[in-house]
Amino acid sequence: MNKSEEVSGSSPKGNFIEQEIEKDLKEGKNGGAVLTRFPPEPNGYLHIGHAKSICLNFGLAQKYNGGCNLRFDDTNPTKEDVEYVESIKKDVQWLGFQWEGEEKYASDYFDQLFEWAVKLIKKGKAYVDDQSAEEIASQKGTPTQPGVESKYRNRSVEENLDLFMRMKNGEFKEGEKVLRAKIDMASPNMHMRDPIMYRIIHKSHHRTGDKWCIYPMYDFTHGQSDFIEGITHSICTMEFEVHRPLYDWFLDQILEGEPTPERRPRQIEFARLNLNYTVMSKRRLLELVEKGIVNGWDDPRMPTISGLRRRGYTPESIRAFAERVGVAKRDNIIDMALLEHCVREDLNKRAPRVNAVLDPVKLILTNYPEDKVEWMEAINNPEDESQGTRKIPFTRELYIERNDFMENPPKKFFRLGPGREVRLKNGYIIKCEDYKKNDKGEVEEIYCTFDPETRSGMPQSNRKVKGTLHWVSASHCIPAEVRLYDRLFLDEDPAGHKDKDFKEFLNPDSLKILTNCKVEPSLKDSKPLDFFQFQRVGYFCVDPDTTEDHLVFNRTVSLKDTWAKMAGRKQ
């Protein structure tokens, strides 16, 4: 196995998860079926790490002609919201996937889970504990020292049943009692030390209303929900590896004395996606939103799927990124540059090329007729001939980028300066004759002459110059707002400093708003999320803030990875 295969867990026979699934199929397990699931908690928006999990779970289902369920783990009504449910459904579908049947919810199984909890109590495998969460935690022990058994551990079955029913009926306050599994307080696996199964929460649930005031813990819900749905392969991230014995224990107790089921979920773990220059914790992302550091969950600086979508990332680029990252068994940190490369690669093939001037300065062709308009033919995308061509207006007065002109240019500056010639893309070769400054000493007009024998595309246009500039017609262009987004953090691992708050590493230049931009008239009818390459500038998309008379563009990514060079200079 070569080094890349070791990192990604891949081999010519597929990654290690695919190998395990194929082994199960060969052995005839689960009746030859493959049913995976994606089980998000509806307590926040999905991020790029979830995107990898979505691509993996739905991709496995597609590869093996199976299905993938979308199941919401809605076991904590204090943190959940219908807004999050709808955003998750939208994200999964936007990425190009469709779940099997209707979406599912852990709350669909509350009645069954309750019955199974009663069954465990009757078997002497669960008990009601009156201690506080702090007291229970203090008795857990350490991985090398056994825990202390609760003084309520040996209550009778009858007393436990009575107390559990009274918990269900709302007779106790939050935190007053919990239901715990009776396993082994000396187990080397801390999760097996009498874990909590149910807690009291007096809050209405977004789906079940006020029917319940006790809610199952995730560890008591996860494996059983998989079993109820007939999931064959439960694909989890590595932190759930130590939970697996507990899931198996719960199912063993529930199925004891029952006929052997045709399907029983098998959990397989993989390394979660960690991306540098960002944070992936929902708690930290929520803090950024609630403190107004970003403009909501879909702020284009956020690593959320909705933020990436608004920034102009395509589902194709995110799926390609997930494929390149691969499936690993060990945690590693992926460079943000790889994600940016994937979107550049995708947009290069598909994005129409257009002219946009972000920091305009007027250029006047003194020998060009004042009222003349020529419609120049421009290729929409040289990577895709099927996109055809368009016409762009060329006039006496144009706008070019301010940084494409220098009063005293150095030798290797191949753009415009006094006495220098450049080509206007899809136009003519021009020569700078003079320029004018305003009272602030800023160049406000550049005076040039054009060579009428050098129109782009004409047979006689064979004279060569080193520089080519983009431009827009001053009389035909459309004003636009352009938002230049950059990485939200300056540090590779902003949350990795124990002695510092992650917000100390925020990038003060993560957003720059340009309000005086000019774009070519073909963009007039652009719709939100339409993507383009602004020639010589970068890839941009139309922001949803756009209105009929106010175009707003977001920078998706620059044409080249300039960040690495910037970081190198700072070091």
Side-chain angles (χ1 to χ4, degrees), residues 66-118:
C68 182
N69 287 354
L70 173 62
R71 180 177 72 242
F72 293 96
D73 172 47
D74 55 346
T75 57
N76 187 352
T78 64
K79 296 182 178 180
E80 294 153 7
D81 197 289
V82 175
E83 173 192 351
Y84 299 138
V85 171
E86 294 304 315
S87 74
I88 290 169
K89 289 161 60 177
K90 180 178 180 180
D91 287 346
V92 172
Q93 291 175 321
W94 178 76
L95 281 171
F97 302 108
Q98 183 58 49
W99 49 89
E100 190 79 3
E102 296 294 321
E103 67 267 18
K104 295 172 174 56
Y105 299 83
S107 55
D108 293 339
Y109 316 131
F110 280 176
D111 289 291
Q112 179 64 79
L113 292 169
F114 178 80
E115 288 181 19
W116 281 336
V118 170

Side-chain angles (χ1 to χ4, degrees), residues 175-194:
E176 200 169 340
K177 297 183 189 299
V178 295
L179 181 69
R180 297 176 70 181
K182 187 188 289 188
I183 308 179
D184 181 5
M185 289 301 291
S187 171
N189 185 334
M190 299 290 286
H191 297 281
M192 301 294 283
R193 296 185 182 181
D194 291 10

